[in-house]
Amino acid sequence: MLLLLGPAAPSGGVPLTAEAVPDRVATWNICNPCGGSGHDYGRATEIAAYAPQVIGLQEACVRDVEQIRDHLEEAYGLVYRVEYGSVLRNWNRCGGLPWRPGGYGQAILSAAPMTDRVSVEYPDGGSEDRGYLAVTTLVGGRPVRVFNTHLAERRQAEVRAAQVRVLAAEVARHDRAIVLGDFNAAPHAPELAPMWALATDADPGCRPAAASAAADACAVTTDWNSTFDYVLLRGITPRSHHVRPSPHSDHHLLHADLNRTRYRP
């Protein structure tokens, strides 16, 4: 039975072995404040169902990520390293003592070691401080630069445009890169143009031409039927993608499997 099911059931069932899928990357805005007892355990179960090699989390408190990471190891045997890209110290969001509030922002979990961590706060975050986190790690057995970002809120397109320019300038320095995150904008939004000039979406329907040609071509990634979450690939081609709605966030978990044999040199 174990041999038939393999390390990760194709339907997204919980893996039976303590191994991450080496070509799989994911992104998830885990929603803070969405709170509630047991949410971090539920989020860990959602992640374990796909066991990505790398996952970028947004709206992430350090304490929440610690619980998610511990539960992934204790309940499923999945061991992840973690790097944080906190842009806020916020007691209301993340707890802690008033004079020592918890860190809030992005986090990257990777089954392989990470190096060259960079955490950047955008010059203008809009209504809340925002930034990106970048690391180098292995995906599909090859080193790649991974970015994780959360752009300014929906009604702040001009702010997002400036943030995208900062992010794109850094992504352009790398021949092979994966950009994960919540962009708070639909694929055809003008402010995302610099990213489309550098990378393609793992979901073919979310590429600007396809998304503007057919309203339902791009899988929605939020509870309000918008596509805000992306796995963007530079120098890498995707094999498949999947969006998984969750009761533990108002965003859906998005993962993509990459084609290891078709990495562009």
Side-chain angles (χ1 to χ4, degrees):
M1 179 65 73
L2 291 178
L3 291 173
L4 287 172
L5 289 176
S11 63
V14 174
L16 299 177
T17 60
E19 295 181 0
V21 181
D23 298 314
R24 181 169 293 168
V25 297
T27 185
W28 195 14
N29 182 322
I30 58 175
C31 187
N32 183 301
C34 274
S37 175
H39 271 264
D40 290 333
Y41 298 106
R43 290 164 179 154
T45 299
E46 297 277 358
I47 294 169
Y50 289 103
Q53 175 76 14
V54 173
I55 182 168
L57 303 177
Q58 303 89 42
E59 295 196 22
C61 291
V62 170
R63 289 177 178 84
D64 292 341
V65 175
E66 288 173 346
Q67 288 189 320
I68 290 169
R69 183 188 180 202
D70 288 347
H71 195 61
L72 283 165
E73 182 171 0
E74 293 165 4
Y76 302 104
L78 291 164
V79 178
Y80 285 99
R81 287 85 169 173
V82 63
E83 291 288 355
Y84 297 100
S86 299
V87 292
L88 283 175
R89 297 287 167 183
N90 193 300
W91 179 80
N92 288 328
R93 281 188 183 271
C94 297
L97 300 172
W99 56 89
R100 192 179 177 187
Y104 171 81
Q106 289 72 245
I108 294 175
L109 275 64
S110 174
M114 291 177 278
T115 60
D116 303 320
R117 170 193 172 273
V118 173
S119 181
V120 173
E121 184 176 334
Y122 293 125
D124 183 0
S127 55
E128 179 180 85
D129 293 346
R130 298 287 166 92
Y132 74 80
L133 170 66
V135 301
T136 298
T137 189
L138 297 179
V139 177
R142 298 192 63 182
V144 63
R145 193 67 171 166
V146 177
F147 295 82
N148 181 22
T149 192
H150 187 191
L151 300 186
E153 293 181 356
R154 282 181 273 179
R155 296 175 180 84
Q156 299 173 337
E158 291 185 5
V159 177
R160 284 197 302 277
Q163 294 171 348
V164 169
R165 288 194 292 270
V166 172
L167 177 62
E170 185 60 28
V171 173
R173 297 179 60 245
H174 303 275
D175 294 332
R176 218 169 35 247
I178 299 170
V179 185
L180 310 170
D182 174 3
F183 283 63
N184 269 317
H188 55 271
E191 64 267 25
L192 299 190
M195 292 306 306
W196 295 124
L198 295 170
T200 58
D201 199 291
D203 180 350
C206 287
R207 295 161 195 170
S212 41
D216 59 350
C218 185
V220 300
T221 64
T222 67
D223 287 353
W224 55 93
N225 295 320
S226 294
T227 301
F228 282 174
D229 305 271
Y230 299 92
V231 173
L232 303 181
L233 305 172
R234 176 170 169 84
I236 305 168
T237 57
R239 187 170 73 249
S240 62
H241 70 280
H242 185 83
V243 177
R244 178 187 178 96
S246 169
H248 304 292
S249 175
D250 57 358
H251 286 251
H252 308 339
L253 191 156
L254 166 64
H255 87 254
D257 290 346
L258 310 181
N259 193 333
R260 195 182 340 184
T261 63
R262 295 181 61 192
Y263 277 89
R264 295 199 300 269

